[in-house]
Amino acid sequence: MDESDGIDGNNSPFSTMSSSDLEKVEKSTLKVHLPNGGFNIVKFGDATDVRGIIHLITSRPPVGVRAFESLYAMRLCHRNSKEEHWLHIDTTMYQVHEKYESRHPQDEWRLENSLVLVLGGLMYELRIRYFPHNLHKLYEKDKFTFYYLYDQIKCDYLKTDVNNVDPEIAVQLCCIEIRRFFKDMPIIALDKKSNFEYLEKEIGLHKFLPQSVLASMKPKTLRKSIQHHFKKFANLSEIECMFYFVDLLDSVKKCNQETFKCALGSGWSIPVELVVGPETGISYLTDKSSTQPTILANFRQVQSIQTLINETEPTKAVLQMKIAGASEVLTITCPNLTIAESMADLIDGYCRIANDTETSFWNAHPPKYRRSSSRSKSGSASPNGSKTTEDYAEIVDDEGDYSTPATKDYELIRSRLELGEIIGEGQFGDVHKGRYRCKDNQMAAVAVKTCKIESEQSMGEKFLEEA
């Protein structure tokens, strides 16, 4: 990470910065939104990958390394168009900007709070996308991630349109959350008018009920219903409230699975709703009346994933998976490439978890990192005219291309190289500042990319391919 740092914008001590500190903050920073309304500000370099940003945020002191870090993902949303893109963990920030920045005009860029440069319509979100099989195990081994997931589930529920939720269940969920919020509230506390008015006016019922439920129920009816149901949950502990809330919500809204409208096969295809989750694996429903999805494969059976543009219908895309034991490739036709890539990222994440590996199963081949010809060697201009940090991902020789190594000897003499401080972190290892003594004994500033010793053999091969 390019001397990466995180700043929590949710009443954290990190959110207080002196004017001298503000002057030191570089403009190549990213505002990452959290489910509870807070945010982190992260400094990054072009070669920083999404995996590195996730690790930086989730492992900040005093939290430490997360046992379930593999559950996290980053989502990029465009607020105006409602576009959503899940960013694969191996994607570098350079590739993110190249792929998504071009879709939106430069005048959407703005400097927010004189601290972080963001794309006006774009919002980066850190979310848990890959749900665990067992929430109790998650709570035991990684309480930080458990509370993060609970906040996400609760906030998603309050923000979404839940017209299909029974009002009585909505009120019960409200009472459970009130109990968790007020840990020491007596069982009859809400029977007192002044206490309920305090809850209603000072705290706000919108923190416990979706807006659609508040709009559909008369205030007096709602009050009596809350007073009645609260007594059922008044003796629950905080953690019991959280598990009860998730279980009750699960009966009306499956938070641990995602669905996609697509078609099995290509050409003559069958319209289905693909269901992906830790319990269902990769399954499908043929119509809305179906309640039990048909399983296509579990995540341990997936050997590779590929996304392609549909040759017969260029507006559509195809997701292909090689499944162990299957004679043919599993082909799924998607409405567009964005959906195909979202499905590929979701399945790939579950496959990595199921196989306990960091190596991707998705055979995506994004362009290797190279400095754009429009960027100067001393730095790159950001849309507001300021310069970002110098590219440290790799050195590009103007005389030739690395695709033809036989034309020149690129191997350096190790004894001439001096390693300095770590300035970045990526998928394969650390990036150091360094100095190299040339043949004329002149010292040249370089960046040195290292490979982790404990990396798998395949990771080492990918490292050499990228170099």
Side-chain angles (χ1 to χ4, degrees):
M1 206 65 66
D2 190 359
E3 297 181 359
S4 300
D5 192 9
I7 304 171
D8 189 353
N10 192 30
N11 299 322
S12 157
F14 289 94
S15 61
T16 303
M17 302 181 69
S18 65
S19 57
S20 59
D21 290 332
L22 285 171
E23 291 175 2
K24 297 176 183 177
V25 177
E26 299 174 3
K27 296 299 185 292
S28 52
T29 50
L30 188 69
K31 184 174 182 179
V32 182
H33 294 260
L34 312 180
N36 63 0
F39 61 86
N40 273 231
I41 293 175
V42 180
K43 290 193 289 182
F44 67 91
D46 278 354
T48 303
D49 59 17
V50 171
R51 186 199 307 269
I53 292 177
I54 292 173
H55 177 74
L56 176 68
I57 296 174
T58 59
S59 62
R60 286 178 49 206
V63 177
V65 178
R66 302 267 48 82
F68 284 82
E69 185 179 310
S70 58
L71 305 184
Y72 291 86
M74 274 185 64
R75 183 171 70 181
L76 180 59
C77 303
H78 189 256
R79 297 179 235 212
N80 299 331
S81 66
K82 306 300 180 184
E83 287 179 35
E84 290 184 356
H85 302 279
W86 288 97
L87 306 178
H88 191 270
I89 57 171
D90 294 333
T91 308
T92 64
M93 293 311 297
Y94 172 82
Q95 291 165 349
V96 171
H97 288 306
E98 287 286 297
K99 185 170 184 177
Y100 301 110
E101 177 183 336
S102 60
R103 300 187 183 187
H104 305 287
Q106 287 291 323
D107 59 8
E108 288 190 6
W109 285 88
R110 72 174 186 273
L111 189 64
E112 186 167 300
N113 299 328
S114 301
L115 183 65
V116 56
L117 190 66
V118 297
L119 190 59
L122 290 178
M123 181 170 71
Y124 291 85
E125 298 176 320
L126 179 66
R127 294 180 60 84
I128 292 176
R129 190 180 196 196
Y130 317 109
F131 278 65
H133 277 281
N134 191 318
L135 282 179
H136 290 272
K137 185 178 179 181
L138 176 64
Y139 176 73
E140 291 170 7
K141 295 193 172 184
D142 193 341
K143 288 183 173 60
F144 174 91
T145 299
F146 175 82
Y147 280 97
Y148 195 97
L149 177 58
Y150 179 80
D151 273 347
Q152 177 179 301
I153 292 172
K154 182 193 68 177
C155 292
D156 285 352
Y157 160 69
L158 293 175
K159 290 176 183 176
T160 54
D161 185 8
V162 287
N163 290 326
N164 60 331
V165 177
D166 186 286
E168 188 169 327
I169 292 180
V171 171
Q172 289 182 50
L173 290 168
C174 165
C175 293
I176 295 169
E177 183 58 17
I178 289 173
R179 178 62 201 164
R180 189 191 73 85
F181 192 85
F182 296 102
K183 301 178 181 64
D184 303 316
M185 180 183 285
I187 191 170
I188 59 172
L190 292 181
D191 289 345
K192 192 175 181 180
K193 184 178 179 181
S194 59
N195 288 340
F196 197 93
E197 287 179 346
Y198 173 81
L199 171 67
E200 198 172 24
K201 297 176 182 179
E202 299 299 325
I203 305 300
L205 290 179
H206 66 279
K207 291 187 176 180
F208 309 102
L209 284 164
Q211 189 59 43
S212 58
V213 176
L214 288 171
S216 64
M217 295 185 71
K218 294 180 179 180
K220 188 175 180 179
T221 304
L222 180 59
R223 175 183 292 191
K224 287 184 177 181
S225 184
I226 292 175
Q227 289 170 336
H228 169 70
H229 285 291
F230 179 76
K231 294 180 175 65
K232 299 178 185 178
F233 312 107
N235 294 321
L236 294 180
S237 66
E238 179 186 12
I239 188 61
E240 286 173 335
C241 286
M242 297 171 83
F243 281 115
Y244 209 112
F245 184 96
V246 174
D247 288 342
L248 185 57
L249 182 61
D250 187 66
S251 66
V252 294
K253 184 180 186 297
K254 294 291 183 182
C255 301
N256 65 344
Q257 64 185 38
E258 293 186 41
T259 59
F260 304 85
K261 291 188 182 298
C262 52
L264 294 180
S266 58
W268 291 98
S269 54
I270 306 169
V272 297
E273 192 170 77
L274 198 76
V275 183
V276 181
E279 297 173 357
T280 60
I282 306 167
S283 306
Y284 70 90
L285 296 167
T286 52
D287 54 65
K288 292 183 179 180
S289 61
S290 303
T291 55
Q292 190 63 34
T294 302
I295 297 177
L296 289 168
N298 64 55
F299 300 118
R300 290 189 64 85
Q301 291 178 292
V302 178
Q303 297 178 331
S304 64
I305 306 167
Q306 191 172 14
T307 49
L308 305 164
I309 297 296
N310 191 316
E311 293 182 357
T312 57
E313 297 181 82
T315 57
K316 295 185 177 181
V318 173
L319 173 68
Q320 292 185 332
M321 288 177 281
K322 187 177 180 182
I323 307 297
S327 57
E328 296 183 1
V329 171
L330 175 58
T331 301
I332 300 171
T333 301
C334 307
N336 53 59
L337 185 60
T338 298
I339 292 176
E341 290 182 341
S342 176
M343 291 167 57
D345 175 80
L346 180 63
I347 294 170
D348 184 42
Y350 278 119
C351 289
R352 295 194 306 268
I353 293 170
N355 291 275
D356 193 24
T357 180
E358 292 186 352
T359 305
S360 175
F361 290 75
W362 185 5
N363 297 329
H365 299 286
K368 292 184 179 180
Y369 179 83
R370 291 289 186 272
R371 179 185 288 116
S372 169
S373 59
S374 63
R375 300 186 180 207
S376 68
K377 294 185 179 182
S378 60
S380 60
S382 63
N384 72 331
S386 62
K387 286 190 175 181
T388 60
T389 55
E390 186 175 356
D391 159 48
Y392 59 80
E394 61 186 59
I395 301 172
V396 179
D397 195 321
D398 292 334
E399 296 179 11
D401 185 89
Y402 289 125
S403 61
T404 54
T407 61
K408 188 170 182 177
D409 183 10
Y410 287 96
E411 188 171 345
L412 303 180
I413 301 172
R414 178 65 181 83
S415 60
R416 292 175 174 267
L417 189 64
E418 297 178 7
L419 284 184
E421 62 180 314
I422 295 176
I423 59 173
E425 182 180 278
Q427 175 188 358
F428 302 110
D430 298 326
V431 180
H432 296 254
K433 274 186 179 179
R435 297 198 309 160
Y436 184 74
R437 184 160 51 85
C438 305
K439 292 180 180 179
D440 58 0
N441 287 326
Q442 294 292 318
M443 300 301 291
V446 296
V448 183
K449 197 173 187 179
T450 62
C451 186
K452 297 175 182 175
I453 297 176
E454 67 273 14
S455 292
E456 303 170 49
Q457 182 178 354
S458 61
M459 296 290 280
E461 292 172 355
K462 286 186 178 181
F463 173 82
L464 292 175
E465 286 176 6
E466 185 177 270

